Amino acid sequence: MAEAVFRPPKRKRRVYESYESPLPIPFGQDCGPKKDFRMFRAEMINNNVIVRNAEDMEQLYGEGYFGKGILSRSRPNFTVSDPKLVAKWKDMKTDMPIITSKKYQRSVEWATKLMRRQGQDESTVRRLLEDYTRPLEHPCLKRNEEVQLCDELNSEMVSKTEGTADRKKLSALNGVAGMSHDLEDASRPSDHLQEGSGPDALTAHSTGEHVVEVTAPLPHVHCGKRDALLPPSGTQPGDSSQRAGLVPARERGPEHEYLLVEEVVCDLSPKKRLICRRNPFRIFEYLQLSLEEAFFLVYALGCLNIYYEKEPLTIVKLWSAFAVVQPAFRTTYMAYHHFRSKGWVPKAGLKYGTDLLLYRKGPPFYHASYSVIVELVDDRFEGSPRRPLSWRSLAALSRVSVSVSKELMLCYLIKPSTMTDKEMESPECMKQIKVQEVILSRWVSSRERSDQDEL
């Protein structure tokens, strides 16, 4: 048998992020401190492992490239912002998403349908959305030369309004005719913070600002793009004690999501302006872990807790539950564990017809080097194959791998012939498993003849 030649991985031409070392493995007290070690939290929802906390998502993906954003291609960095509008208003110093009025109206329609499904009558839905979508003024709308002044006003106004969290007044953007006739005293600055003052509270600074009184607490209409990922909410929008929406306070992030909506000043003028509004229908980005990734974080690194209906799952329960959800889980996990331990970053190889793709460092830096097919056999290389391969199908897989600059690898997990199914019900069975890797390469007769001619 010819010796396999390991080729260097193909580096990507454009790399937009820096490499961070993978998650640390916790050692005992005698081996050093655990100052960088932390526990992450995930939930088992609809047979998927979901991470909701923003800090957990960032660290899990950044340090080892575990998981994938459900709304993004890879890194969970989804935003509702329109890239064209961001480029158009690039002189605005703001981190808020910028969207079109049409896109904002679509969010209002989604929020309307959601509250109707919750049993709200039409008048209540209309009133709540009118209060929720009122225009607000934010200092980020100022031009570059006014940014420093607005920051000073921000700090001065926040210091004046500490201890006044019970005030329920919202700042409305001036300039809409007939919107409100309740004017503040022109001699007093409009320093009202939005209800629930905090790091995301919006402020108004201009003297003589229109101020709209709100007599009832505003609803918190939170929802995901897929209702199946979120537990049903039985709270009423007006219930201030349970206004957390569909996501717990620790995991939902900021209280509100503020947007800059590009709207026309008037029908007779083509000029447009940015109006600050709250998003009535938030779309949350979650990190979805594959079953192999989730079990590796639980079993190998010990840095993840997975909950099902608020109950933590043990390692043995996860090993059994994942095998029910994915019948080939035990086989694929053993291969995943093997390659992760050797420094590779394995990802699902479904798009190339294989079980795993192996990356050096991570997908942002290198293209996948190997497409891996995993088989579980006994020490005599006998057993029921997971995917029976004919010569034609094997040649097709090899051709596909070569066309995308990858090599096809067969990974054989060799178990003892005496191992029983009872022993396979515990992850401790991996201690008896041996691994053999076989790299397949297509034989090209013309290339061999040219090599002989050179000799």
Side-chain angles (χ1 to χ4, degrees), residues 131-414:
D131 289 340
Y132 202 90
T133 58
R134 290 184 186 276
L136 308 168
E137 184 170 349
H138 192 269
C140 292
L141 293 178
K142 306 298 182 182
R143 292 288 175 178
N144 290 342
E145 61 270 12
E146 300 179 54
V147 170
Q148 184 176 1
L149 176 61
C150 289
D151 292 340
E152 296 175 358
L153 290 175
N154 262 343
S155 59
E156 180 181 356
M157 188 179 55
V158 170
S159 62
K160 290 180 180 180
T161 55
E162 288 181 354
T164 59
D166 56 336
R167 303 174 66 178
K168 299 179 179 179
K169 294 183 179 181
L170 294 176
S171 303
L173 183 64
N174 193 6
V176 182
M179 183 171 58
S180 175
H181 300 287
D182 299 331
L183 296 179
E184 285 287 317
D185 186 5
S187 62
R188 186 178 65 180
S190 299
D191 56 353
H192 299 292
L193 285 177
Q194 184 185 344
E195 178 193 5
S197 61
D200 295 304
L202 299 183
T203 57
H205 305 289
S206 58
T207 305
E209 180 80 7
H210 288 285
V211 177
V212 181
E213 296 286 346
V214 181
T215 59
L218 297 180
H220 292 249
V221 185
H222 300 295
C223 185
K225 190 171 183 181
R226 298 187 298 177
D227 292 339
L229 287 178
L230 298 176
S233 174
T235 60
Q236 296 298 326
D239 186 2
S240 60
S241 63
Q242 299 182 357
R243 289 189 303 164
L246 298 177
V247 183
R250 175 180 173 271
E251 301 168 358
R252 70 171 181 270
E255 191 74 10
H256 301 285
E257 181 181 30
Y258 298 103
L259 307 171
L260 296 179
V261 185
E262 186 185 59
E263 298 184 1
V264 180
V265 176
C266 62
D267 296 337
L268 302 179
S269 174
K271 294 183 179 180
K272 298 181 180 181
R273 64 179 176 183
L274 294 180
I275 299 180
C276 182
R277 299 178 185 271
R278 283 180 297 177
N279 189 1
F281 191 90
R282 293 191 64 180
I283 299 178
F284 289 91
E285 172 82 297
Y286 299 133
L287 184 72
Q288 181 175 353
L289 300 173
S290 69
L291 301 185
E292 292 82 7
E293 291 171 330
F295 196 81
F296 183 83
L297 291 169
V298 174
Y299 176 73
L301 298 185
C303 62
L304 180 68
N305 291 326
I306 301 179
Y307 291 79
Y308 178 72
E309 296 181 353
K310 299 182 180 180
E311 292 292 333
L313 298 176
T314 63
I315 292 178
V316 177
K317 287 184 179 180
L318 287 173
W319 183 259
S320 302
F322 288 173
V324 174
V325 174
Q326 183 177 311
F329 163 75
R330 294 171 180 172
T331 301
T332 55
Y333 175 75
M334 292 177 190
Y336 181 94
H337 188 106
H338 169 72
F339 290 116
R340 265 287 181 181
S341 302
K342 295 179 70 173
W344 293 98
V345 178
K347 289 291 183 179
L350 181 62
K351 57 184 176 182
Y352 297 126
T354 57
D355 297 315
L356 296 173
L357 294 176
L358 302 184
Y359 294 85
R360 181 187 177 188
K361 288 189 175 180
F365 308 101
Y366 293 91
H367 294 281
S369 300
Y370 300 99
S371 297
V372 184
I373 297 177
V374 185
E375 290 289 351
L376 180 63
V377 297
D378 58 17
D379 48 13
R380 292 173 295 189
F381 276 79
E382 296 179 355
S384 56
R386 292 178 52 248
R387 54 165 78 196
L389 293 174
S390 62
W391 285 111
R392 179 175 295 181
S393 60
L394 192 60
L397 278 176
S398 177
R399 197 67 176 262
V400 169
S401 299
V402 171
S403 64
V404 292
S405 301
K406 295 169 180 52
E407 292 186 88
L408 183 62
M409 177 188 294
L410 298 181
C411 178
Y412 290 101
L413 304 173
I414 306 172

